[in-house]
């Protein structure tokens, strides 16, 4: 196993991934839950870096050996060098550069969630975790400010953004795909429409939730759609988008009998 120092190109690459979107098809993670998802799915690890000075617990040592077998390139570094690239304070001393799987519209299935121009990584990550849990088949990030390789998104999604079929797309391309393929479009609407309990969510569906501040793209309303809202008490007029998307997705999953 090759030992490298702080000036190695792979270390520079990880620093760049942590700070920018220059490497759009890669993410880096030292989150053990994310790394376990990598092992349990057909994900590619171009580079694996770990500390040779770290005292690993038995289960982490087993995971490390699995990652070493899966990775295309492996490097050992000191704790000092690791501190320069770490993402988590309570890290295990292992960081992987992971290749984002690539999908197209037709990989997304019949139960799609559309995140329209969302910008807060924590919200998007929360939605991914819910969609993974309730069996949604795909995600479209429409004109998204935050990209799928964002490290904060990956951390909050616990790596589910790596395995749920996802594409980045423009609004016009997304709308054309849905209309041409006969999806029923449900617009998350806090004031108008029908209660989320009253739809059956059968067939090919796409649930749209919008930007944290501005809501969904106004042109959605110019095309065939259903308005769906979540009844609320109190003084607020809308829920956090992560909460709202989770409620709608779970209701759809229950009606579609996804859990059977």
């Amino acid at each position: 196993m090759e030992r490298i120092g702080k000036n190695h190109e792979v270390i520079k690459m990880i620093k760049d991934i942590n700070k920018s979107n220059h490497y759009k098809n890669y993410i880096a993670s030292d989150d053990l839950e994310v790394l376990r998802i990598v092992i349990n799915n057909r994900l590619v690890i171009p580079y694996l870096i770990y500390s040779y000075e770290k005292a690993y617990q038995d289960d982490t040592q087993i995971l490390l050996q699995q990652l070493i077998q899966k990775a295309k390139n492996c490097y050992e570094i000191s704790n000092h060098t690791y501190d320069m690239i770490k993402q988590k304070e309570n890290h295990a001393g292992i960081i992987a550069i992971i290749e984002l799987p690539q999908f197209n519209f037709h990989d997304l299935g019949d139960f799609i969630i559309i995140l329209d121009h969302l910008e807060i990584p924590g919200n998007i990550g929360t939605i991914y975790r819910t969609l993974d849990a309730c069996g949604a088949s795909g995600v479209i990030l429409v004109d998204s400010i935050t990209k799928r390789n964002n490290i904060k998104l990956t951390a909050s999604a616990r790596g589910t953004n790596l395995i749920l079929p996802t594409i980045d797309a423009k609004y016009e391309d997304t709308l054309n795909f849905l209309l041409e393929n006969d999806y029923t479009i449900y617009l998350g609407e806090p004031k108008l429409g029908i209660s989320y309990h009253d739809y059956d969510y059968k067939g090919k569906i796409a649930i749209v939730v919008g930007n944290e501040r501005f809501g969904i793209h106004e042109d959605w309303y110019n095309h065939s759609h259903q308005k769906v809202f979540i009844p609320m008490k109190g003084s607020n007029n809308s829920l956090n988008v992560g909460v709202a998307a989770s409620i709608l997705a779970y209701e759809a999953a229950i009606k579609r009998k996804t859990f059977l």
Side-chain angles (χ1 to χ4, degrees):
M1 199 71 61
E2 182 181 356
R3 289 189 178 180
I4 60 175
K6 63 182 181 180
N7 295 320
H8 193 278
E9 289 303 312
V10 174
I11 302 300
K12 295 178 182 178
M13 182 180 184
I14 292 174
K15 288 180 179 179
D16 199 1
I17 290 173
N18 286 344
K19 294 179 180 180
S20 72
N21 278 322
H22 292 162
Y23 294 93
K24 297 185 183 302
N25 293 326
Y26 295 109
I27 67 112
S29 180
D30 58 5
D31 186 313
L32 288 178
E33 290 195 49
V34 175
L35 297 178
R36 289 190 180 98
I37 278 183
V38 172
I39 288 297
N40 293 327
N41 295 272
R42 294 182 178 180
L43 296 171
V44 177
I45 308 174
Y47 301 99
L48 179 72
I49 299 92
Y50 63 93
S51 171
Y52 60 83
E53 297 178 326
K54 187 80 172 178
Y56 296 104
Q57 296 181 359
D58 289 345
D59 58 342
T60 306
Q61 183 65 48
I62 292 170
L63 175 63
L64 175 58
Q65 293 306 313
Q66 293 173 325
L67 291 165
I68 289 172
Q69 293 177 12
K70 191 177 182 72
K72 293 183 177 180
N73 300 280
C74 297
Y75 301 98
E76 292 182 337
I77 59 176
S78 67
N79 283 342
H80 177 70
T81 300
Y82 195 97
D83 284 341
M84 297 179 180
I85 58 173
K86 68 182 180 182
Q87 296 172 349
K88 294 170 64 73
E89 287 299 325
N90 59 342
H91 63 80
I94 307 168
I95 189 165
I97 295 177
I98 306 156
E99 188 174 309
L100 281 172
Q102 301 301 305
F103 301 98
N104 60 51
F105 278 113
H106 294 286
D107 295 322
L108 300 178
D110 292 349
F111 180 9
I112 298 172
I113 308 299
I114 295 174
L115 309 184
D116 186 2
H117 205 60
L118 265 61
E119 55 187 303
I120 299 177
N123 285 338
I124 302 172
T126 295
I127 294 169
Y128 266 107
R129 289 177 65 184
T130 301
L131 299 184
D132 177 68
C134 74
S137 61
V139 176
I140 304 177
L141 301 175
V142 172
D143 299 322
S144 184
I145 296 171
T146 296
K147 305 304 181 185
R148 189 164 54 121
N149 65 338
N150 182 284
I151 62 171
K152 292 181 180 179
L153 189 163
T154 301
S156 61
R158 303 288 178 86
T160 53
N161 59 316
L162 300 172
I163 56 175
L164 189 59
T166 301
I167 63 169
D168 288 283
K170 294 185 179 299
Y171 166 74
E172 291 80 6
D173 295 333
T174 300
L175 178 67
N176 289 338
F177 168 75
L178 298 176
L179 296 178
E180 290 170 3
N181 290 276
D182 298 319
Y183 281 82
T184 300
I185 301 171
Y186 294 90
L187 304 182
E189 170 58 69
K191 295 180 180 179
L192 304 175
I194 298 174
S195 170
Y196 74 106
H197 286 302
D198 295 333
Y199 289 107
D200 65 14
Y201 303 101
K202 301 300 184 183
K204 299 166 72 172
I205 68 169
I207 298 173
V208 183
V209 295
N211 178 272
E212 292 88 344
R213 292 178 291 168
F214 307 115
I216 63 176
H217 194 301
E218 62 183 14
D219 188 59
W220 285 110
Y221 293 96
N222 295 328
H223 306 277
S224 178
H225 66 273
Q226 302 291 332
K227 298 183 182 72
V228 55
F229 79 98
I230 301 169
M232 296 176 58
K233 293 184 177 181
S235 58
N236 286 315
N237 63 4
S238 66
L239 294 169
N240 170 274
V241 66
V243 174
S246 298
I247 291 171
L248 297 177
Y250 252 91
E251 182 70 12
I254 291 167
K255 294 287 182 61
R256 294 169 68 86
K257 300 182 178 179
T258 301
F259 298 108
L260 295 181

